[in-house]
Amino acid sequence: MGTKSSQNIEIRSATRDDSALILSFVKGLAHHVHLQQYVVSTEDMIEDCIFNKKAAEVIFASLDGVDAGFAVFYQTFSTFLGKAGLYLEDLYVLPDYRGKGIGTELLRSLAQISVERGYCRIEWCVLDWNSGSIEFYKSLGAEAVDGCTIYQMSGEAIDSLAKEY
């Protein structure tokens, strides 16, 4: 990757050497959304899942040489459209760098990746209370999906269901 924008923001793909940096951004995001108590990831876990198992990809945005934002994403699939899509798991910009176009450049890069790979859409979740992010996403043309609620299963629920068979 390694593209530059007109605002001196550079986008680059993460490398294995960035595992600690990825974790620091994850922790920063968790703190920002008041969910830091749920972070159990370690550098080794991130390195294994992202770089060995290729479960996700990470890009960084740097401004004047400082890594100031990141995005974590992975491929999805739409059975209705018969095409792959991109799921944005995390997007985070360090507080001192917000309002400088970094989030826009990260999303622009994800849009370019989507076009290059022939993806049909980009999807992500936003916490209901995060009005600043919601307005930012809407300003770029994103729309909420009405009539859809996200469900998740984890931990004991998965273990319990798996044991039933």
Side-chain angles (χ1 to χ4, degrees), residues 2 10 25 37 47-48 55 64 66 68 74 92-93 124 127 142 160 162:
E10 186 171 341
F25 273 90
Q37 69 273 21
E47 182 177 351
D48 184 48
D64 299 325
V66 176
Y74 51 88
Y92 179 67
V93 176
W124 64 94
L127 295 168
S160 176

Side-chain angles (χ1 to χ4, degrees), residues 60-118:
F60 287 103
S62 61
L63 178 62
D64 299 325
V66 176
D67 290 313
F70 89 139
V72 179
F73 63 97
Y74 51 88
Q75 182 179 297
T76 62
F77 183 73
S78 169
T79 55
F80 285 15
L81 299 176
K83 292 184 176 184
L86 185 149
Y87 188 85
L88 173 59
E89 179 67 26
D90 293 327
L91 184 132
Y92 179 67
V93 176
L94 296 174
D96 290 345
Y97 292 89
R98 293 183 187 146
K100 299 179 187 292
I102 292 167
T104 301
E105 288 304 315
L106 284 164
L107 284 167
R108 180 175 285 118
S109 292
L110 294 176
Q112 290 168 344
I113 289 168
S114 294
V115 168
E116 290 167 7
R117 296 180 185 180

Side-chain angles (χ1 to χ4, degrees), residues 25-39:
F25 273 90
V26 168
K27 288 179 177 179
L29 171 61
H31 179 76
H32 175 70
V33 296
H34 314 290
L35 297 172
Q36 61 269 27
Q37 69 273 21
Y38 296 107
V39 176

